[in-house]
Amino acid sequence: MALSFRICSSPLICRATLSNGDNSRNHHAIDAAFIRRAADLAEMSAGLTSPHPNFGCVIATSSGKVAGEGYLYAQGTKPAEALAVEAAGEFSRGSTAYLNMEPGDCHGDHTAVSALVQAGIERVVVGIRHPLQHLRGSAIRELRSQGIEVNVLGEDFESKILEDARKSCLLVNAPLIHRACSQVPFSVLKYAMTLDGKIAASSGHAAWISSKLSRTRVFELRGGSDAVIVGGNTVRQDDPRLTARHGQGHTPTRIVMTQSLDLPEEANLWDVSEVSTIVVTQRGARKSFQKYLASKGVEVVEFDMLNPREVMEYFHLRGYLSILWECGGTLAASAISSSVIHKVVAFVAPKIIGGSKAPSPVGDLGMVEMTQALNLIDVCYEQVGPDMLVSGYLQPIPDLLPVIPSEDATVEIDPSVDPFEPSIIFFYKTWDLYGSFSNFSPHPIRMPCGGENDDYMTWSSVEHYYQVPHNGPCKMVSYVCKIT
């Protein structure tokens, strides 16, 4: 795959036609168009840069022409900003750089920021701040300290069109944002079904429900994921390879989740010559077969209690950002019930197979009334050949904008607290070093008393906020704590 940066021989010109000569709205429309383009470029990084974010950069001149573009191709390669500056050349000076996300300079590497500064960029527009707190705001502060104007969508200016552009930046890095918030990888449940809701015939035969074009799209989905997960029944029935042929060139790790380890000795997934396979199972299951898989080069991981939540927490600790679930209905229902599925992608083929015993894409969720049904949000419809692709989110993407509780909200938490009492410390949010929300701080805090003798007092930390249930949006609630 070639690096995606260029000097436009026929420059793209962003035009916005708005009534009443409203210059502010006109500028917003131009900024929004270029931010969306940066997000589109960042999407090309999917599957190649994990566990780092997807970055895209557009350099635009004051006349609204694209001078250069770039995206982060893979770990260790040049930042998107540096590639865009190289492509723009002398046209960078005095231009505006549009970034889907704040640069993630870390470990002393300031290449991205330095490239923008040295190129003479005059203004930088950022879609969202970096989700990880140890990087959040650092690049923005550095750019501003160098005299560059920096605007962050949703903070420095707002409008409906900018809100939509900012949302595209959240979507392109949804895996990182969800992972930082919920401490599980971003998970997509994908399936293909007939018009009457079957994923196979009563016999179990399922090749092929969807069209060749749809299957190509599945390869692309795999190519943008860190891993693909299936259940034991899928291995027994379909003997899948789970490769990303015709995709982006990246082949994800293959994960098999099986409680009994009742798997065939010969299977395509046991061939790890090109990509690894991990089998997760219940502790003590078929020890002799575990040794057999190990002899094939397959990694086996045991769990005391095998359930999707614990499995996803484990792979979060191993650094996985995104998981594509291509499992059957039983495991899909378990994953949804465990609230580890964030998005659903369904290919609906114009076919009818019938059969009262033919399997459906999602097993029993314990719901008995239609009012209990889970509703997708941000639903998209797309025709792919003869099939209809329906996708949407089961859980909203957490918003990274800081929300400071009002005085009324603070009093609601603890009516006995006077918010103006000088010995009160307010906590609005906190992140751990790796970008995950933290409920407790185990470290005491020493604070000056403010007297003439430079006395200090020690405050023992307590829980200072909590996160709402994991199947809802990520919100913070302020706690107030007295110094004793």
Side-chain angles (χ1 to χ4, degrees):
M1 179 186 298
L3 297 182
S4 176
F5 61 91
R6 58 176 178 155
I7 298 177
C8 300
S9 55
S10 178
L12 167 69
I13 301 178
C14 179
R15 297 187 177 90
T17 304
L18 299 168
S19 60
N20 303 322
D22 190 336
N23 288 331
S24 175
R25 289 178 61 198
N26 184 58
H27 287 312
H28 285 185
I30 293 173
D31 287 344
F34 285 131
I35 283 290
R36 284 195 300 270
R37 174 58 184 165
D40 288 343
L41 289 169
E43 183 68 35
M44 300 175 73
S45 294
L48 303 171
T49 60
S50 179
H52 303 294
N54 300 324
F55 285 109
C57 176
V58 178
I59 306 293
T61 65
S62 57
S63 60
K65 297 179 180 179
V66 173
E69 297 178 336
Y71 72 94
L72 182 62
Y73 174 67
Q75 294 187 54
T77 61
K78 284 187 179 181
E81 298 84 354
L83 292 173
V85 163
E86 287 180 5
E90 62 183 20
F91 295 105
S92 296
R93 189 160 300 280
S95 293
T96 299
Y98 293 89
L99 317 177
N100 65 295
M101 179 186 286
E102 173 185 11
D105 287 344
C106 58
H107 306 303
D109 178 12
H110 303 286
T111 306
V113 169
S114 297
L116 297 174
V117 172
Q118 294 172 11
I121 294 294
E122 191 171 273
R123 176 176 177 246
V124 174
V125 181
V126 176
I128 60 173
R129 288 178 181 260
H130 203 290
L132 304 186
Q133 184 60 16
H134 64 294
L135 299 175
R136 187 174 172 85
S138 298
I140 291 174
R141 287 192 297 271
E142 178 62 23
L143 289 166
R144 285 173 173 164
S145 73
Q146 296 293 327
I148 296 176
E149 178 187 357
V150 181
N151 299 129
V152 183
L153 301 194
E155 298 180 26
D156 298 307
F157 41 58
E158 294 181 271
S159 70
K160 180 61 172 66
I161 192 171
L162 289 174
E163 180 183 336
D164 292 340
R166 183 175 177 275
K167 191 169 187 177
S168 68
C169 298
L170 292 171
L171 290 173
V172 77
N173 273 299
L176 182 70
I177 296 170
H178 267 292
R179 181 179 182 273
C181 176
S182 61
Q183 299 190 39
V184 294
F186 178 73
S187 288
V188 177
L189 173 63
K190 170 255 129 187
Y191 55 83
M193 70 178 188
T194 61
L195 200 57
D196 54 339
K198 310 298 183 182
I199 60 172
S202 299
S203 65
H205 186 265
W208 294 103
I209 291 176
S210 58
S211 66
K212 186 175 181 179
L213 282 174
S214 293
R215 297 197 296 274
T216 299
R217 291 292 294 273
V218 173
F219 294 144
E220 294 173 358
L221 282 171
R222 290 177 187 167
S225 305
D226 293 339
V228 180
I229 188 168
V230 296
N233 194 51
T234 299
V235 178
R236 291 187 292 269
Q237 292 279 350
D238 302 337
D239 191 19
R241 295 181 183 276
L242 301 182
T243 59
R245 54 190 184 277
H246 310 307
Q248 299 182 20
H250 164 70
T251 302
T253 300
R254 302 165 305 183
I255 302 170
V256 180
M257 187 172 172
T258 168
Q259 185 165 334
S260 65
L261 206 61
D262 180 18
L263 301 172
E265 289 193 5
E266 298 299 324
N268 288 318
L269 295 182
W270 310 156
D271 179 2
V272 295
S273 58
E274 294 184 6
V275 60
S276 61
T277 298
I278 303 173
V279 174
V280 295
T281 189
Q282 194 94 0
R283 188 171 301 283
R286 296 188 67 190
K287 285 293 187 180
S288 60
F289 191 69
Q290 289 190 33
K291 293 179 180 179
Y292 170 77
L293 290 177
S295 70
K296 291 278 192 177
V298 176
E299 181 183 356
V300 180
V301 181
E302 292 182 311
F303 288 81
D304 290 330
M305 292 296 294
L306 189 66
N307 62 70
R309 166 63 56 172
E310 289 196 15
V311 171
M312 288 300 97
E313 289 175 351
Y314 168 77
F315 281 105
H316 162 266
L317 293 175
R318 287 185 61 158
Y320 286 73
L321 279 185
S322 57
I323 306 285
L324 181 64
W325 293 67
E326 296 194 53
C327 53
T330 301
L331 183 52
S334 180
I336 291 173
S337 298
S338 299
S339 297
V340 298
I341 299 296
H342 301 95
K343 184 178 182 180
V344 176
V345 175
F347 294 88
V348 184
K351 300 175 181 178
I352 295 176
I353 189 68
S356 60
K357 295 183 179 180
S360 63
V362 179
D364 187 11
L365 291 173
M367 299 178 181
V368 295
E369 295 181 1
M370 192 56 66
T371 53
Q372 296 176 287
L374 302 174
N375 294 311
L376 299 182
I377 58 176
D378 293 328
V379 180
C380 295
Y381 305 91
E382 179 186 351
Q383 186 165 350
V384 182
D387 306 326
M388 179 61 69
L389 173 57
V390 183
S391 63
Y393 291 81
L394 279 175
Q395 303 180 40
I397 300 174
D399 199 324
L400 299 175
L401 287 176
V403 178
I404 300 178
S406 65
E407 177 187 332
D408 292 338
T410 303
V411 174
E412 285 176 6
I413 295 170
D414 186 351
S416 67
V417 171
D418 178 1
F420 300 103
E421 187 175 334
S423 61
I424 297 297
I425 302 175
F426 288 86
F427 291 90
Y428 298 123
K429 67 175 183 176
T430 188
W431 300 61
D432 70 16
L433 251 183
Y434 304 99
S436 300
F437 288 116
S438 171
N439 286 341
F440 294 90
S441 174
H443 309 291
I445 299 173
R446 290 186 74 238
M447 302 189 67
C449 297
E452 296 180 357
N453 298 325
D454 294 329
D455 293 333
Y456 283 80
M457 63 179 68
T458 299
W459 172 73
S460 297
S461 306
V462 297
E463 184 175 9
H464 48 265
Y465 77 81
Y466 72 91
Q467 183 181 333
V468 297
H470 51 264
N471 60 348
C474 190
K475 298 179 181 177
M476 267 74 71
V477 177
S478 172
Y479 275 71
V480 290
C481 308
K482 284 189 178 182
I483 300 175
T484 57

